[in-house]
Amino acid sequence: MELISEAQLPTKFGNFTIKVFKNPISLVEHYVLQTNEVGDVTPMVRIHSECATGDIFGSLRCDCQDQLHESLSLIANNKNGAVIYLKNQEGRGIGISNKIKAYHLQEQGLNTYEANEELGLPLDARTYDDAISILKILGYRSITLITNNPAKEEAVKAAGITFTTHHISASVNAHNKAYIDAKINIGQHHITL
Amino acid sequence: MNHSFSSIDTALTHFTNGGLLVVVDDESRENEGDIVFSAALSTPEKVNFCATHARGLVCIAISKNIAQKLDLHPVPSNAKDPFSTAFHDSIDATPAFGITTGISAKERSITAAHIASEASTPNDFIKPGHLFPVVAKEGGVLTRPGHTEASVDLCLLTNQPAAAIICEIMDTDGNMMRRDGLFEFASHHQLPIITIQQLIDYRKKIQ
């Protein structure tokens, strides 16, 4: 993993440094928004999987943008930490075109996991190797991990990074209720509603 | 699992940028997948990826022109290889380029880049060495549908020197990785995966 470029990025959540890391093998470029201040507090980290429909357009089919924004606020207020924004993770790793195909199936009543199954795609194709490499480059050995996803906890644990988990609440609406239910029941996410 | 191959356009763009591809031949031929990337854009990380994750023999597919320019000769053959892989003299770059033993990922990457370099001459290399040149048939995949030809064709289609690192992908149990495993491998490492048949079709289309 190579640090390609970095610069200041003031946001409405607080001031960050944005760093672009490139995986030299896959050539995928991930973004990191890191706090400028580094206090004595334990860094808070969000490993966020890219979701164009949610993060950019504010889709109500998922809760990705809420999670991203809440994470940015938490990290800015904590004055120590980073959001690791993983590119190429669209639709739990199946890609944007397959994700939209799955949405079409969901319009016919399937949940996200069932839709992937129907398309013959993995339920969750994400790997967190790149995120772990970035965490190590950032020098984070002990963190507060902002997630409800046990697979992310597992990845951090396997890397030997000590952590406590900060769960974030989900905002349920009429469009994402089935999505959130499936996350809880099939994905085993720890979600408090 | 419903796997699909990447488009040729995606693969060519990735290859042009120095990215790694998974290239598979026909299931009735060797039925193997190789990592392929441009030798001119080689880095120690990429060679190390081959040794660590692909775990086959790290070779360099080159055109006949490069083999002649660098005075590389075919390894004596007893003509019993069913696929007639065109192994040539193994080589390392000389110590003048920072080579010590020649085997480290860094040193094999240096050797690869020098093989691809237009400025290189036979005097820049020692034989035998730790990188194994395999020479593509003229006409590329339209003559022989092998990984060697596919790799050199990828270089020519992307206007790069006709030299590519290739390495067969072995499964963790030591057997060769087959289709399902190769799809998972490509997905896990986020690499485009294409067939040699796709390259043949593409070349026929653009001719």
Side-chain angles (χ1 to χ4, degrees):
Chain A
M1 200 64 56
E2 196 184 343
L3 175 61
I4 303 293
S5 51
E6 62 177 287
Q8 290 300 305
L9 192 74
T11 73
K12 60 184 180 184
F13 305 99
N15 294 330
F16 293 94
T17 300
I18 183 166
K19 297 180 176 179
V20 178
F21 287 91
K22 187 174 189 173
N23 178 321
I25 303 302
S26 66
L27 307 182
V28 175
E29 293 177 329
H30 305 291
Y31 324 141
V32 171
L33 262 68
Q34 190 176 20
T35 51
N36 295 326
E37 296 151 288
V38 181
D40 283 340
V41 291
T42 305
M44 293 188 89
V45 173
R46 167 71 183 170
I47 298 171
H48 192 86
S49 301
E50 170 188 33
C51 170
T53 47
D55 298 338
I56 300 173
F57 303 119
S59 163
L60 295 176
R61 280 183 180 269
C62 59
D63 58 347
C64 295
Q65 192 188 58
D66 287 345
Q67 292 196 334
L68 179 62
H69 289 184
E70 189 175 340
S71 300
L72 285 164
S73 288
L74 283 167
I75 290 164
N77 291 334
N78 190 55
K79 299 195 191 318
N80 190 9
V83 168
I84 299 171
Y85 192 85
L86 294 176
K87 296 288 288 178
N88 243 18
Q89 295 243 321
E90 199 53 77
R92 298 194 176 119
I94 61 175
I96 184 79
S97 51
N98 282 323
K99 182 170 97 169
I100 303 305
K101 278 183 197 165
Y103 278 1
H104 182 70
L105 287 173
Q106 287 166 45
E107 285 165 2
Q108 293 154 26
L110 276 61
N111 69 37
T112 40
Y113 293 90
E114 290 166 344
N116 279 16
E117 231 165 13
E118 177 75 21
L119 290 168
L121 296 165
L123 299 186
D124 195 334
R126 289 176 291 182
T127 58
Y128 300 105
D129 300 358
D130 286 1
I132 297 302
S133 302
I134 291 171
L135 274 176
K136 288 183 174 167
I137 293 171
L138 296 178
Y140 290 160
R141 296 212 183 91
S142 177
I143 61 172
T144 302
L145 184 67
I146 307 171
T147 190
N148 297 325
N149 185 347
K152 289 180 183 170
E153 294 176 305
E154 216 29 69
V156 170
K157 190 176 165 189
I161 296 166
T162 55
F163 69 100
T164 53
T165 306
H166 180 100
H167 296 305
I168 34 182
S169 57
S171 39
V172 182
N173 63 55
H175 305 283
N176 73 9
K177 187 169 184 317
Y179 166 87
I180 302 282
D181 284 348
K183 260 192 179 180
I184 295 169
N185 297 324
I186 304 168
Q188 304 290 312
H189 287 217
H190 306 282
I191 298 179
T192 44
L193 299 173
Chain B
M1 196 65 68
N2 170 25
H3 295 295
S4 59
F5 289 102
S6 310
S7 72
I8 284 287
D9 288 340
T10 301
L12 291 179
T13 304
H14 197 71
F15 191 82
T16 304
N17 293 331
L20 280 61
L21 302 180
V22 175
V23 177
V24 305
D25 70 346
D26 201 85
E27 284 176 295
S28 63
R29 193 178 172 273
E30 288 180 350
N31 190 18
E32 288 179 359
D34 284 23
I35 289 292
V36 180
F37 61 91
S38 164
L41 301 174
S42 182
T43 63
E45 289 86 358
K46 294 174 193 175
V47 175
N48 193 37
F49 181 89
C50 289
T52 309
H53 297 288
R55 305 182 304 121
L57 187 66
V58 179
C59 294
I60 182 164
I62 55 175
S63 65
K64 201 173 165 186
N65 283 346
I66 291 183
Q68 286 173 345
K69 186 186 86 168
L70 299 182
D71 194 28
L72 302 176
H73 300 282
V75 173
S77 161
N78 65 1
K80 285 181 179 172
D81 171 10
F83 299 110
S84 310
T85 304
F87 281 103
H88 279 51
D89 300 324
S90 62
I91 56 175
D92 289 337
T94 61
F97 298 104
I99 303 297
T100 57
T101 62
I103 186 63
S104 72
K106 182 183 168 193
E107 294 187 8
R108 278 186 280 178
S109 186
I110 291 171
T111 298
H114 280 284
I115 291 171
S117 167
E118 224 168 84
S120 293
T121 68
N123 288 333
D124 296 332
F125 299 94
I126 54 174
K127 305 181 211 174
H130 297 80
L131 196 54
F132 301 91
V134 287
V135 176
K137 287 245 182 277
E138 285 177 277
V141 290
L142 299 183
T143 308
R144 178 177 179 271
H147 293 96
T148 309
E149 286 71 20
S151 306
V152 169
D153 279 3
L154 282 163
C155 294
L156 298 175
L157 289 168
T158 53
N159 298 314
Q160 299 190 67
I165 298 269
I166 68 175
C167 182
E168 304 90 343
I169 302 168
M170 199 162 73
D171 217 331
T172 45
D173 66 3
N175 292 313
M176 297 318 294
M177 202 178 271
R178 302 302 180 197
R179 281 293 163 90
D180 279 353
L182 291 167
F183 275 116
E184 269 172 41
F185 181 92
S187 165
H188 180 84
H189 295 290
Q190 305 192 321
L191 306 177
I193 175 169
I194 58 165
T195 64
I196 292 175
Q197 188 59 47
Q198 280 177 282
L199 266 179
I200 293 171
D201 295 341
Y202 180 80
R203 281 203 49 198
K204 282 181 178 165
K205 197 180 86 184
I206 60 168
Q207 262 183 3

